Protein backbone atom coordinates (compact mmCIF):
# COMPACT_ATOMS: atom_id res chain seq x y z
CA UNK A 1 0.00 0.00 0.00
CA UNK A 2 1.39 3.38 -0.95
CA UNK A 3 1.68 6.22 1.53
CA UNK A 4 -1.07 8.09 -0.27
CA UNK A 5 -3.43 5.13 0.00
CA UNK A 6 -2.65 4.69 3.68
CA UNK A 7 -3.25 8.35 4.37
CA UNK A 8 -6.45 8.19 2.36
CA UNK A 9 -7.71 5.21 4.33
CA UNK A 10 -6.91 7.04 7.52
CA UNK A 11 -8.82 10.12 6.47
CA UNK A 12 -11.80 7.97 5.47
CA UNK A 13 -11.57 6.29 8.87
CA UNK A 14 -11.42 9.58 10.74
CA UNK A 15 -13.75 11.76 8.76
CA UNK A 16 -13.05 15.37 9.52
CA UNK A 17 -15.38 15.91 12.53
CA UNK A 18 -16.02 19.55 11.56
CA UNK A 19 -16.82 18.49 8.03
CA UNK A 20 -19.45 16.11 9.37
CA UNK A 21 -21.03 18.93 11.40
CA UNK A 22 -20.94 21.29 8.46
CA UNK A 23 -22.79 18.75 6.32
CA UNK A 24 -25.42 18.38 9.02
CA UNK A 25 -25.98 22.13 8.89
CA UNK A 26 -26.24 21.99 5.10
CA UNK A 27 -28.54 18.99 4.89
CA UNK A 28 -30.71 19.35 7.99
CA UNK A 29 -30.25 22.95 9.16
CA UNK A 30 -28.95 21.34 12.35
CA UNK A 31 -28.62 24.21 14.84
CA UNK A 32 -26.73 22.16 17.42
CA UNK A 33 -24.03 21.30 14.85
CA UNK A 34 -24.02 24.99 13.86
CA UNK A 35 -23.48 26.00 17.51
CA UNK A 36 -20.55 23.58 17.89
CA UNK A 37 -18.95 25.00 14.74
CA UNK A 38 -19.49 28.48 16.12
CA UNK A 39 -17.85 27.63 19.46
CA UNK A 40 -14.83 26.20 17.68
CA UNK A 41 -14.30 28.68 14.86
CA UNK A 42 -15.72 32.01 16.10
CA UNK A 43 -12.79 32.69 18.50
CA UNK A 44 -10.31 31.96 15.68
CA UNK A 45 -12.11 34.31 13.33
CA UNK A 46 -12.30 37.03 15.96
CA UNK A 47 -8.53 36.85 16.42
CA UNK A 48 -8.15 36.90 12.62
CA UNK A 49 -10.13 40.15 12.45
CA UNK A 50 -8.12 41.75 15.24
CA UNK A 51 -4.77 40.70 13.71
CA UNK A 52 -6.00 42.14 10.41
CA UNK A 53 -6.46 45.54 12.01
CA UNK A 54 -10.26 45.60 12.05
CA UNK A 55 -10.69 45.03 15.81
CA UNK A 56 -13.64 47.40 16.02
CA UNK A 57 -15.49 45.23 13.48
CA UNK A 58 -14.27 41.88 14.83
CA UNK A 59 -17.63 40.51 15.99
CA UNK A 60 -19.35 41.90 12.94
CA UNK A 61 -16.91 39.88 10.82
CA UNK A 62 -17.58 36.76 12.90
CA UNK A 63 -21.29 37.23 12.32
CA UNK A 64 -20.94 37.80 8.57
CA UNK A 65 -18.75 34.71 8.26
CA UNK A 66 -21.31 32.56 10.07
CA UNK A 67 -24.26 33.90 8.09
CA UNK A 68 -22.28 33.03 4.97
CA UNK A 69 -21.51 29.54 6.35
CA UNK A 70 -25.23 29.02 6.96
CA UNK A 71 -26.12 30.10 3.44
CA UNK A 72 -23.43 28.10 1.70
CA UNK A 73 -23.46 24.97 3.84
CA UNK A 74 -25.78 23.13 1.45
CA UNK A 75 -22.98 23.32 -1.14
CA UNK A 76 -20.35 21.95 1.23
CA UNK A 77 -19.10 18.44 0.53
CA UNK A 78 -16.62 16.95 3.00
CA UNK A 79 -14.97 15.03 0.16
CA UNK A 80 -14.10 18.29 -1.58
CA UNK A 81 -12.47 20.33 1.17
CA UNK A 82 -11.62 20.11 4.85
CA UNK A 83 -14.09 22.19 6.85
CA UNK A 84 -11.38 24.40 8.32
CA UNK A 85 -9.97 25.24 4.87
CA UNK A 86 -13.45 25.98 3.57
CA UNK A 87 -14.19 28.21 6.56
CA UNK A 88 -10.83 29.97 6.24
CA UNK A 89 -11.61 30.95 2.65
CA UNK A 90 -15.03 32.26 3.70
CA UNK A 91 -13.44 34.32 6.49
CA UNK A 92 -10.86 35.67 4.04
CA UNK A 93 -13.52 36.66 1.51
CA UNK A 94 -15.74 38.30 4.12
CA UNK A 95 -12.74 40.26 5.40
CA UNK A 96 -11.95 41.41 1.84
CA UNK A 97 -15.60 42.29 1.31
CA UNK A 98 -15.80 44.29 4.52
CA UNK A 99 -12.69 46.31 3.62
CA UNK A 100 -14.00 46.90 0.11
CA UNK A 101 -17.28 48.24 1.49
CA UNK A 102 -15.47 50.52 3.91
CA UNK A 103 -13.19 51.94 1.23
CA UNK A 104 -15.62 52.25 -1.60
CA UNK A 105 -16.91 55.71 -2.28
CA UNK A 106 -19.44 54.85 -4.97
CA UNK A 107 -21.93 52.01 -4.91
CA UNK A 108 -20.69 50.84 -8.28
CA UNK A 109 -18.94 47.49 -8.12
CA UNK A 110 -18.38 45.52 -11.27
CA UNK A 111 -16.51 42.50 -9.94
CA UNK A 112 -17.60 40.83 -6.73
CA UNK A 113 -15.16 39.43 -4.21
CA UNK A 114 -16.13 35.84 -4.98
CA UNK A 115 -15.52 36.40 -8.69
CA UNK A 116 -11.90 37.02 -7.76
CA UNK A 117 -11.43 34.70 -4.78
CA UNK A 118 -13.25 31.39 -5.06
CA UNK A 119 -14.33 29.07 -2.28
CA UNK A 120 -12.76 25.61 -2.80
CA UNK A 121 -15.12 22.93 -4.07
CA UNK A 122 -17.59 25.26 -5.76
CA UNK A 123 -18.17 24.57 -9.45
CA UNK A 124 -15.91 21.60 -9.75
CA UNK A 125 -16.23 17.91 -10.25
CA UNK A 126 -12.73 16.69 -9.58
CA UNK A 127 -12.71 14.08 -6.81
CA UNK A 128 -8.95 13.65 -7.14
CA UNK A 129 -8.16 17.20 -6.11
CA UNK A 130 -10.59 16.81 -3.26
CA UNK A 131 -8.82 13.85 -1.78
CA UNK A 132 -5.54 15.61 -2.27
CA UNK A 133 -6.87 18.54 -0.23
CA UNK A 134 -7.82 16.48 2.79
CA UNK A 135 -4.47 14.71 2.80
CA UNK A 136 -2.48 17.90 2.35
CA UNK A 137 -4.28 19.74 5.13
CA UNK A 138 -3.42 16.99 7.58
CA UNK A 139 0.18 16.95 6.43
CA UNK A 140 0.51 20.73 6.74
CA UNK A 141 -0.96 20.67 10.24
CA UNK A 142 1.47 17.95 11.34
CA UNK A 143 4.59 19.53 9.88
CA UNK A 144 3.86 23.12 10.90
CA UNK A 145 4.81 22.18 14.48
CA UNK A 146 8.35 21.41 13.36
CA UNK A 147 9.01 24.67 11.50
CA UNK A 148 11.44 27.20 12.98
CA UNK A 149 9.68 30.12 14.64
CA UNK A 150 11.18 32.68 12.23
CA UNK A 151 9.51 30.93 9.30
CA UNK A 152 6.15 30.65 11.05
CA UNK A 153 6.29 34.35 11.99
CA UNK A 154 6.72 35.44 8.39
CA UNK A 155 3.90 33.23 7.08
CA UNK A 156 1.61 34.28 9.95
CA UNK A 157 2.09 37.93 9.04
CA UNK A 158 1.12 37.26 5.43
CA UNK A 159 -1.99 35.24 6.35
CA UNK A 160 -3.16 36.85 9.55
CA UNK A 161 -2.05 40.45 9.21
CA UNK A 162 -2.85 41.02 5.56
CA UNK A 163 0.75 41.94 4.70
CA UNK A 164 2.67 41.55 1.45
CA UNK A 165 6.09 39.92 1.63
CA UNK A 166 7.56 43.39 1.08
CA UNK A 167 5.58 44.81 4.02
CA UNK A 168 6.76 41.94 6.23
CA UNK A 169 10.37 42.69 5.24
CA UNK A 170 9.89 46.39 6.06
CA UNK A 171 8.34 45.63 9.42
CA UNK A 172 10.96 43.10 10.51
CA UNK A 173 13.67 45.30 9.02
CA UNK A 174 15.16 42.46 6.99
CA UNK A 175 15.74 42.24 3.22
CA UNK A 176 12.90 41.00 1.02
CA UNK A 177 15.19 38.17 -0.10
CA UNK A 178 15.42 36.90 3.48
CA UNK A 179 11.64 36.91 3.84
CA UNK A 180 11.29 35.00 0.59
CA UNK A 181 13.92 32.43 1.51
CA UNK A 182 12.15 31.79 4.84
CA UNK A 183 8.86 31.30 3.02
CA UNK A 184 10.50 29.07 0.43
CA UNK A 185 12.12 26.88 3.12
CA UNK A 186 8.81 26.58 4.95
CA UNK A 187 6.81 25.71 1.81
CA UNK A 188 9.40 23.09 0.94
CA UNK A 189 9.15 21.55 4.39
CA UNK A 190 5.37 21.59 4.27
CA UNK A 191 5.55 20.15 0.74
CA UNK A 192 3.41 23.02 -0.50
CA UNK A 193 6.00 23.69 -3.17
CA UNK A 194 5.70 20.90 -5.67
CA UNK A 195 8.95 19.21 -6.52
CA UNK A 196 9.24 20.45 -10.07
CA UNK A 197 8.86 24.08 -9.14
CA UNK A 198 11.79 26.46 -9.11
CA UNK A 199 11.10 29.66 -7.30
CA UNK B 1 -1.89 23.46 -19.90
CA UNK B 2 -0.17 26.79 -19.71
CA UNK B 3 3.60 27.01 -19.38
CA UNK B 4 4.10 30.23 -17.44
CA UNK B 5 2.73 30.37 -13.91
CA UNK B 6 2.61 32.83 -11.02
CA UNK B 7 5.32 32.10 -8.43
CA UNK B 8 4.56 30.78 -4.94
CA UNK B 9 4.83 34.23 -3.37
CA UNK B 10 2.14 35.67 -5.61
CA UNK B 11 -0.07 32.65 -4.99
CA UNK B 12 0.47 32.92 -1.24
CA UNK B 13 -0.54 36.57 -1.23
CA UNK B 14 -3.55 35.61 -3.34
CA UNK B 15 -4.52 32.82 -0.95
CA UNK B 16 -4.09 35.18 2.00
CA UNK B 17 -6.36 37.69 0.27
CA UNK B 18 -3.66 40.35 0.12
CA UNK B 19 -3.45 41.07 -3.60
CA UNK B 20 -5.12 44.12 -5.06
CA UNK B 21 -8.28 43.42 -7.08
CA UNK B 22 -6.62 43.76 -10.52
CA UNK B 23 -3.78 41.43 -9.52
CA UNK B 24 -6.26 38.97 -8.03
CA UNK B 25 -8.13 39.06 -11.35
CA UNK B 26 -4.97 38.06 -13.23
CA UNK B 27 -4.38 35.14 -10.86
CA UNK B 28 -8.04 34.11 -11.00
CA UNK B 29 -8.07 34.05 -14.81
CA UNK B 30 -4.95 31.91 -14.87
CA UNK B 31 -6.31 29.53 -12.19
CA UNK B 32 -9.46 28.92 -14.18
CA UNK B 33 -7.36 27.24 -16.88
CA UNK B 34 -4.50 25.81 -14.83
CA UNK B 35 -5.06 22.70 -12.68
CA UNK B 36 -1.42 22.82 -11.55
CA UNK B 37 -1.83 26.25 -9.94
CA UNK B 38 -5.28 25.36 -8.60
CA UNK B 39 -3.74 22.56 -6.63
CA UNK B 40 -1.02 24.89 -5.34
CA UNK B 41 -3.67 27.38 -4.19
CA UNK B 42 -5.60 24.55 -2.51
CA UNK B 43 -2.55 23.73 -0.43
CA UNK B 44 -1.97 27.38 0.38
CA UNK B 45 -5.61 27.78 1.47
CA UNK B 46 -5.07 24.83 3.81
CA UNK B 47 -1.94 26.52 5.12
CA UNK B 48 -4.09 29.58 5.85
CA UNK B 49 -6.58 27.45 7.76
CA UNK B 50 -3.86 25.78 9.80
CA UNK B 51 -2.31 29.20 10.52
CA UNK B 52 -5.63 30.56 11.75
CA UNK B 53 -6.11 27.54 13.97
CA UNK B 54 -2.58 27.78 15.44
CA UNK B 55 -2.90 31.42 16.48
CA UNK B 56 -4.47 32.69 19.73
CA UNK B 57 -8.25 32.59 20.11
CA UNK B 58 -10.36 35.46 21.39
CA UNK B 59 -13.65 34.68 23.07
CA UNK B 60 -16.75 36.28 21.60
CA UNK B 61 -19.60 38.01 23.39
CA UNK B 62 -22.05 35.52 24.97
CA UNK B 63 -25.01 36.98 23.14
CA UNK B 64 -23.43 36.77 19.70
CA UNK B 65 -24.64 33.28 18.88
CA UNK B 66 -28.22 34.14 19.87
CA UNK B 67 -28.12 37.24 17.70
CA UNK B 68 -26.82 35.09 14.88
CA UNK B 69 -29.73 32.65 15.29
CA UNK B 70 -32.19 35.54 15.12
CA UNK B 71 -30.52 36.73 11.97
CA UNK B 72 -30.60 33.38 10.17
CA UNK B 73 -34.25 32.90 11.18
CA UNK B 74 -34.95 35.88 8.97
CA UNK B 75 -33.09 34.26 6.11
CA UNK B 76 -35.27 32.75 3.43
CA UNK B 77 -35.60 29.01 3.76
CA UNK B 78 -32.56 27.04 2.66
CA UNK B 79 -31.69 28.12 -0.84
CA UNK B 80 -32.01 25.78 -3.76
CA UNK B 81 -28.51 24.29 -4.11
CA UNK B 82 -28.76 24.07 -7.89
CA UNK B 83 -29.73 27.69 -8.19
CA UNK B 84 -26.93 28.70 -5.83
CA UNK B 85 -24.44 26.60 -7.79
CA UNK B 86 -25.48 28.15 -11.08
CA UNK B 87 -25.28 31.63 -9.69
CA UNK B 88 -21.91 30.62 -8.28
CA UNK B 89 -20.49 30.05 -11.71
CA UNK B 90 -18.45 33.14 -12.08
CA UNK B 91 -16.50 34.33 -15.03
CA UNK B 92 -15.11 37.71 -14.01
CA UNK B 93 -13.83 38.58 -17.46
CA UNK B 94 -17.19 38.08 -19.13
CA UNK B 95 -18.79 40.08 -16.35
CA UNK B 96 -16.42 42.95 -16.98
CA UNK B 97 -16.21 42.90 -20.75
CA UNK B 98 -19.11 40.88 -22.12
CA UNK B 99 -18.90 38.01 -24.55
CA UNK B 100 -17.00 39.49 -27.43
CA UNK B 101 -13.44 40.71 -26.90
CA UNK B 102 -13.04 41.62 -30.58
CA UNK B 103 -15.81 44.24 -30.54
CA UNK B 104 -14.83 46.22 -27.47
CA UNK B 105 -14.33 49.99 -27.96
CA UNK B 106 -10.65 49.52 -28.79
CA UNK B 107 -8.54 52.60 -29.38
CA UNK B 108 -6.08 52.25 -32.22
CA UNK B 109 -2.72 53.46 -30.96
CA UNK B 110 -0.02 52.60 -33.45
CA UNK B 111 -0.17 50.53 -36.59
CA UNK B 112 -0.52 47.11 -35.03
CA UNK B 113 -1.59 48.05 -31.53
CA UNK B 114 -4.99 48.85 -30.00
CA UNK B 115 -5.58 49.48 -26.33
CA UNK B 116 -8.48 49.75 -23.93
CA UNK B 117 -8.03 51.18 -20.45
CA UNK B 118 -10.35 49.45 -17.95
CA UNK B 119 -8.89 50.99 -14.80
CA UNK B 120 -12.27 52.54 -13.98
CA UNK B 121 -13.69 49.10 -13.27
CA UNK B 122 -11.48 48.96 -10.17
CA UNK B 123 -12.29 52.05 -8.12
CA UNK B 124 -9.91 52.72 -5.25
CA UNK B 125 -7.14 50.50 -6.61
CA UNK B 126 -3.79 52.14 -7.36
CA UNK B 127 -2.91 50.13 -10.47
CA UNK B 128 -3.60 50.85 -14.10
CA UNK B 129 -5.44 48.05 -15.85
CA UNK B 130 -5.07 47.90 -19.62
CA UNK B 131 -6.11 45.55 -22.41
CA UNK B 132 -3.87 45.44 -25.44
CA UNK B 133 -4.58 43.96 -28.84
CA UNK B 134 -1.94 43.16 -31.44
CA UNK B 135 -2.98 42.25 -34.97
CA UNK B 136 -1.68 38.84 -36.19
CA UNK B 137 2.08 39.18 -36.58
CA UNK B 138 1.84 42.72 -35.18
CA UNK B 139 4.67 44.32 -33.23
CA UNK B 140 4.34 46.32 -30.03
CA UNK B 141 6.95 49.04 -29.52
CA UNK B 142 9.83 48.06 -27.25
CA UNK B 143 9.23 49.27 -23.73
CA UNK B 144 10.48 49.09 -20.19
CA UNK B 145 8.33 49.29 -17.11
CA UNK B 146 8.04 51.56 -14.16
CA UNK B 147 7.20 49.25 -11.32
CA UNK B 148 5.95 45.84 -12.37
CA UNK B 149 3.70 44.77 -15.20
CA UNK B 150 1.62 41.64 -14.64
CA UNK B 151 0.13 40.17 -17.80
CA UNK B 152 -2.28 37.37 -18.66
CA UNK B 153 -2.72 36.34 -22.29
CA UNK B 154 -6.47 36.24 -23.02
CA UNK B 155 -6.36 35.25 -26.66
CA UNK B 156 -3.73 34.30 -29.22
CA UNK B 157 -0.04 34.30 -28.37
CA UNK B 158 3.06 36.48 -28.57
CA UNK B 159 6.79 36.06 -28.52
CA UNK B 160 9.52 38.27 -27.14
CA UNK B 161 13.14 37.83 -26.09
CA UNK B 162 11.96 35.76 -23.09
CA UNK B 163 9.98 33.16 -25.04
CA UNK B 164 6.57 32.23 -26.38
CA UNK B 165 3.51 33.18 -24.34
CA UNK B 166 0.20 31.52 -25.04
CA UNK B 167 -3.38 31.85 -23.89
CA UNK B 168 -3.71 31.99 -20.06
CA UNK B 169 0.03 32.28 -19.46
CA UNK B 170 0.92 34.52 -16.52
CA UNK B 171 3.88 36.88 -16.89
CA UNK B 172 5.46 39.36 -14.49
CA UNK B 173 7.89 41.92 -15.89
CA UNK B 174 10.07 43.91 -13.52
CA UNK B 175 11.47 47.42 -13.79
CA UNK B 176 14.68 46.17 -15.33
CA UNK B 177 13.00 44.16 -18.08
CA UNK B 178 12.76 45.48 -21.63
CA UNK B 179 10.71 43.63 -24.17
CA UNK B 180 9.24 43.90 -27.63
CA UNK B 181 6.23 41.60 -27.99
CA UNK B 182 5.30 40.28 -31.43
CA UNK B 183 1.97 38.52 -31.94
CA UNK B 184 2.01 35.13 -33.62
CA UNK B 185 0.53 34.99 -37.12
CA UNK B 186 -2.60 32.95 -36.52
CA UNK B 187 -4.78 35.34 -34.49
CA UNK B 188 -5.11 38.70 -32.78
CA UNK B 189 -3.20 38.61 -29.51
CA UNK B 190 -5.15 40.13 -26.61
CA UNK B 191 -3.52 40.62 -23.23
CA UNK B 192 -4.64 42.00 -19.88
CA UNK B 193 -1.92 43.95 -18.09
CA UNK B 194 -1.84 45.41 -14.61
CA UNK B 195 0.70 48.18 -14.15
CA UNK B 196 1.70 48.88 -10.59
CA UNK B 197 1.52 52.50 -9.51
CA UNK B 198 4.48 54.59 -10.68
CA UNK B 199 4.98 55.64 -7.07
CA UNK B 200 6.62 52.71 -5.36
CA UNK B 201 4.52 52.26 -2.25
CA UNK B 202 4.79 49.25 0.06
CA UNK B 203 1.72 47.19 0.90
CA UNK B 204 0.55 48.79 4.09
CA UNK B 205 1.10 52.34 2.94
CA UNK B 206 -0.69 51.63 -0.30
CA UNK B 207 -3.75 50.62 1.62
CA UNK B 208 -3.63 53.66 3.85
CA UNK B 209 -3.31 55.97 0.89
CA UNK B 210 -5.81 54.10 -1.21
CA UNK B 211 -8.84 56.25 -0.40
CA UNK B 212 -6.83 59.37 -1.23
CA UNK B 213 -5.62 58.26 -4.61
CA UNK B 214 -8.97 58.55 -6.32
Amino acid sequence: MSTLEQTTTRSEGHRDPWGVKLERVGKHQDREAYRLLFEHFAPQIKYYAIANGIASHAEELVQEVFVSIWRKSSLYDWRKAAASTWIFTIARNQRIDMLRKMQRTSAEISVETEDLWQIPGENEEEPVTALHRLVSERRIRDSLKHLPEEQVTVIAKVYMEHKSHQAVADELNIPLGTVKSRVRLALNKLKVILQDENV
Amino acid sequence: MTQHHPDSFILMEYSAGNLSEPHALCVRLHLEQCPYCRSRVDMLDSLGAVMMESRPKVSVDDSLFDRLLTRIEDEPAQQDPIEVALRGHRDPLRKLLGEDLANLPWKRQLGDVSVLDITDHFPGQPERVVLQKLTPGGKAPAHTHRGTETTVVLQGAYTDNKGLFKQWDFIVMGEEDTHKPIATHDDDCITLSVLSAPLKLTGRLTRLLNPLIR
Side-chain angles (χ1 to χ4, degrees):
Chain A
M1 206 187 235
S2 73
T3 320
L4 179 69
E5 279 166 350
Q6 283 170 6
T7 323
T8 308
T9 317
R10 273 207 304 279
S11 58
E12 293 271 356
H14 303 266
R15 273 180 69 170
D16 169 18
W18 301 112
V20 174
K21 291 180 181 63
L22 203 47
E23 282 206 347
R24 287 219 303 272
V25 175
K27 285 194 179 123
H28 312 293
Q29 295 83 56
D30 183 335
R31 284 167 171 71
E32 178 57 17
Y34 189 57
R35 188 182 61 78
L36 291 168
L37 285 163
F38 182 85
E39 283 175 359
H40 183 74
F41 287 101
Q44 294 182 25
I45 297 163
K46 186 166 175 185
Y47 177 80
Y48 178 70
I50 294 168
N52 264 300
I54 46 173
S56 54
H57 298 274
E59 296 207 340
E60 189 186 335
L61 183 74
V62 172
Q63 199 172 71
E64 292 307 320
V65 171
F66 271 87
V67 169
S68 183
I69 288 172
W70 181 263
R71 285 182 188 154
K72 287 175 174 294
S73 56
S74 60
L75 294 173
Y76 175 78
D77 178 343
W78 73 274
R79 287 169 305 230
K80 289 190 173 173
S84 50
T85 299
W86 192 81
I87 290 173
F88 166 74
T89 59
I90 290 186
R92 172 198 67 198
N93 283 14
Q94 290 295 331
R95 188 261 292 157
I96 294 169
D97 242 8
M98 193 177 263
L99 289 176
R100 286 180 84 183
K101 280 178 191 145
M102 287 179 200
Q103 291 183 349
R104 207 181 314 137
T105 42
S106 72
E108 182 60 38
I109 183 163
S110 42
V111 185
E112 287 164 52
T113 302
E114 286 198 5
D115 299 334
L116 301 175
W117 281 275
Q118 280 198 308
I119 305 295
E122 286 189 1
N123 320 315
E124 73 176 39
E125 316 267 327
E126 303 163 45
V128 183
T129 359
L131 201 58
H132 192 69
R133 281 191 188 124
L134 296 180
V135 176
S136 68
E137 199 203 59
R138 182 160 308 188
R139 190 190 57 226
I140 289 167
R141 178 175 293 118
D142 292 343
S143 28
L144 188 69
K145 299 175 196 128
H146 306 295
L147 286 187
E149 189 53 38
E150 62 174 28
Q151 293 172 17
V152 178
T153 303
V154 166
I155 296 175
K157 283 187 182 300
V158 173
Y159 275 98
M160 305 299 291
E161 298 176 24
H162 190 196
K163 292 197 169 90
S164 66
H165 294 96
Q166 181 64 58
V168 174
D170 294 346
E171 185 194 315
L172 299 178
N173 202 18
I174 52 177
L176 179 59
T178 307
V179 169
K180 287 192 167 182
S181 77
R182 287 180 189 175
V183 169
R184 194 183 294 121
L185 286 168
L187 294 184
N188 260 312
K189 201 65 145 291
L190 299 173
K191 300 198 174 63
V192 169
I193 286 186
L194 304 176
Q195 277 169 348
D196 55 347
E197 184 184 355
N198 306 304
V199 288
Chain B
M1 180 153 134
T2 63
Q3 296 296 313
H4 300 273
H5 308 279
D7 68 28
S8 287
F9 306 107
I10 293 176
L11 290 186
M12 181 184 270
E13 290 190 15
Y14 174 79
S15 164
N18 301 351
L19 291 183
S20 67
E21 290 166 33
H23 282 121
L25 174 66
C26 292
V27 174
R28 171 75 177 73
L29 291 172
H30 177 79
L31 287 180
E32 186 78 2
Q33 307 293 333
C34 182
Y36 167 71
C37 288
R38 281 206 296 277
S39 101
R40 295 161 76 204
V41 167
D42 281 340
M43 288 189 269
L44 288 163
D45 287 347
S46 289
L47 177 58
V50 172
M51 267 298 153
M52 191 164 84
E53 157 191 302
S54 71
R55 298 287 103 184
K57 279 118 193 127
V58 184
S59 56
V60 295
D61 189 276
D62 286 340
S63 67
L64 188 60
F65 188 69
D66 291 334
R67 278 184 276 147
L68 188 61
L69 282 183
T70 316
R71 190 156 155 208
I72 61 171
E73 291 303 337
D74 296 337
E75 282 286 310
Q78 205 72 10
Q79 301 175 43
D80 179 356
I82 295 166
E83 191 195 316
V84 174
L86 282 176
R87 199 182 55 213
H89 191 83
R90 298 163 183 280
D91 178 347
L93 198 65
R94 211 166 273 182
K95 246 180 158 171
L96 275 174
L97 306 172
E99 299 286 332
D100 190 2
L101 290 180
N103 285 325
L104 294 170
W106 293 102
K107 292 199 171 52
R108 189 79 173 268
Q109 227 184 14
L110 291 151
D112 302 332
V113 190
S114 305
V115 294
L116 178 64
D117 191 311
I118 56 166
T119 307
D120 288 347
H121 286 285
F122 302 92
Q125 304 288 308
E127 293 90 359
R128 267 191 71 207
V129 190
V130 183
L131 291 165
Q132 192 178 66
K133 183 169 76 167
L134 290 174
T135 53
K139 296 179 177 66
H143 60 284
T144 50
H145 306 92
R146 287 179 83 182
T148 61
E149 180 185 278
T150 304
T151 298
V152 178
V153 181
L154 304 181
Q155 183 189 310
Y158 74 85
T159 55
D160 66 11
N161 54 334
K162 294 243 160 59
L164 169 66
F165 301 94
K166 296 183 190 165
Q167 198 180 25
W168 310 119
D169 275 340
F170 186 102
I171 306 111
V172 179
M173 301 284 289
E175 253 164 303
E176 68 284 5
D177 297 318
T178 307
H179 73 153
K180 189 177 173 185
I182 303 173
T184 54
H185 285 278
D186 44 340
D187 195 2
D188 282 346
C189 176
I190 301 180
T191 53
L192 169 73
S193 290
V194 176
L195 307 153
S196 65
L199 282 170
K200 204 169 179 183
L201 302 168
T202 57
R204 209 159 30 143
L205 260 179
T206 309
R207 279 197 306 283
L208 285 175
L209 291 174
N210 247 348
L212 306 178
I213 285 172
R214 271 162 204 281

